[in-house]
Amino acid sequence: MGLYGSAMAELFGPVLSRVQLFAYCERPFIWRLAQKLRLSLFMHGDVIYELGSVGHDMYIIWKGAVGLVGPDGVLAAMLTDGEHFGELGLMAAHYPRPHRAVSLRPCDVLMLSRWELQVSVRARARPCVWVCVWFGRHVRTYV
């Protein structure tokens, strides 16, 4: 992967391993996923994704705050450093997002795409079990 991938893995691997979805995955799998993360900056008021859009990415807040706004316009959740959202987009391609995500202040957000997760899981079969078990337990709470 090179210098960039190594730096991403070293810097963001520990953050990724604290995400409940990946908590029981092996270090080499986390390392591989961390190399695939993209870092994006969202300014105050930027819409990260819209209500009803189909998701393809999961987001982890590196620094900042994000509000999840429900269909009624009410703030359903406020997330800050180290918290994640949009994980449904990694596994359930056909479900619309149940809320709108808006940056509440300047935010550095790590993004993991469904494609990168699938490639990493195919390369290492064992982590797939943990990811599938987690989604089997939690996906029903979102739909």
Side-chain angles (χ1 to χ4, degrees):
M1 174 57 75
L3 183 59
Y4 176 79
S6 294
M8 290 295 285
E10 208 47 57
L11 191 58
F12 300 124
V15 173
L16 196 57
S17 66
R18 287 191 296 269
V19 172
Q20 185 181 12
L21 173 60
F22 306 115
Y24 298 102
C25 293
E26 298 170 345
R27 182 174 161 81
F29 179 72
I30 296 294
W31 179 268
R32 183 179 181 97
L33 277 184
Q35 290 177 349
K36 308 292 184 180
L37 292 171
R38 294 167 300 165
L39 183 61
S40 292
L41 172 66
F42 294 96
M43 299 308 292
H44 173 63
D46 284 352
V47 175
I48 299 170
Y49 60 75
E50 287 289 348
L51 169 75
S53 64
V54 176
H56 302 285
D57 295 298
M58 174 184 172
Y59 305 86
I60 305 168
I61 303 168
W62 177 245
K63 301 278 185 211
V66 172
L68 302 180
V69 181
D72 55 2
V74 175
L75 185 67
M78 185 176 94
L79 308 171
T80 58
D81 302 359
E83 295 185 288
H84 63 281
F85 59 99
E87 60 273 15
L88 185 61
L90 292 181
M91 294 294 232
H94 57 282
Y95 289 121
R97 296 202 186 262
H99 48 262
R100 181 174 164 220
V102 180
S103 179
L104 299 177
R105 61 179 187 237
C107 254
D108 292 318
V109 177
L110 300 166
M111 299 167 51
L112 176 64
S113 73
R114 177 185 313 122
W115 169 255
E116 295 297 351
L117 176 63
Q118 289 173 346
V119 168
S120 296
V121 165
R122 277 189 215 117
R124 300 187 61 85
R126 190 168 174 200
C128 182
V129 173
W130 291 111
V131 170
C132 291
V133 166
W134 188 90
F135 269 104
R137 290 182 185 153
H138 294 88
V139 99
R140 289 179 212 89
T141 62
Y142 293 107
V143 291

